[in-house]
Amino acid sequence: MTSSRYQMSLATLVLLASSGCRTGLFTGPMMRLRSERQGPSCIKNCVELSLMGLLLSVWMSEMTGDGPASSSSALETLAVPTSSRLSVMLHYCPIGAGDTRSHWSTSHCSPHFLLSPCREQVTRTPVEQSSDGVRAAEGVSSGLHVWEVLWSPAHRGSHAVIGVSCANCPLQASGYSALLGGGPQSWGWELGTNQLWHGAQSLGRYPAVPSTTQGVGAGGLEIGSKTPGSAVEIPERVLLVLDADAGTLAYMVGESFFGVAFEDLPHGVELFPAVSSVRGGASIRLRYLNGATSDPPALMALCSLTIQRSLGPQRKNLTNTLPIPLVLQQYLLPNQ
């Protein structure tokens, strides 16, 4: 059995064992393999688990492929592994639309930004020689949090920046500049040039190109290159990953996690998702996806994640064919 098949079978058995006593999984047809006088209940459970393990091995051997198909996408080649805490959180269903954590602030924004009635989208008016910013209405000072930012590449122009800010970060300035990251109270990623900004200084390209040699970030990516070269094109959807407990900010594009972009963010200080723009007509939508405390993920959640990874995106909807109880088939459905 290959590595991914072994991991999946093992994770499924652990999931069965960890949930069996609580959900009553060890009752039903398989229990008729023996009568109550044939031994203690733990032997029954072991027999059931062994049979299920055998069935899983057969099931996996009949499946074509060995896991997610590899991709040669330029963005995916720059990705690094996510932590189990972040992976589990992303696996769950996102927070429903309309949550107040998805709202832009009505008072902490440049006068050149217009808010939509739902407050989840802002549009910059066509004003010349002005750099304009807006932050979210609600910030966080602890926990791990992920927001989705939708910003069409066709409506970015120069100096399109996504990041976080403190409560009183300046949100309007004369001229054209990377406003977010232009001072000590904000941290931003300029999408067009891939440059990281903080304290009015460029900290290098992110995600890093392979030839970078200036330094290594906490996420495993080398950062700090100021050498010229082609920037990576960033699509419309960007995820902002703020770990207020660790004091780090990172970004994701699609399934690609680029590692830590900023470290040593202030602890215990409320931080807000924010953007800045210089382009007239730029429309930017914010949505809060999910959050987690500093507690480690539950064992059942880790097992579910391992199984989904082993199945891969092309087989993620095949959980109903797994030779396991229905309640676990439903638990393993994507984003449950």
Side-chain angles (χ1 to χ4, degrees), residues 209-228:
V209 293
S211 59
T212 304
T213 58
Q214 298 293 321
V216 179
L221 286 178
E222 295 176 341
I223 60 175
S225 173
K226 300 180 185 297
T227 57

Side-chain angles (χ1 to χ4, degrees), residues 271-334:
L271 297 172
F272 301 80
V275 298
S276 66
S277 175
V278 301
R279 190 188 190 281
S283 292
I284 309 152
R285 180 173 287 271
L286 179 71
R287 183 185 178 187
Y288 181 78
L289 295 184
N290 230 319
T293 66
S294 58
D295 296 331
L299 178 59
M300 287 182 63
L302 290 172
C303 291
S304 175
L305 179 64
T306 298
I307 295 168
Q308 287 293 342
R309 283 177 169 175
S310 298
L311 287 172
Q314 297 178 343
R315 301 180 304 188
K316 64 181 180 180
N317 294 319
L318 296 179
T319 55
N320 63 321
T321 65
L322 279 168
I324 58 176
L326 178 61
V327 64
L328 284 186
Q329 291 180 5
Q330 296 173 340
Y331 178 77
L332 291 173
L333 290 173

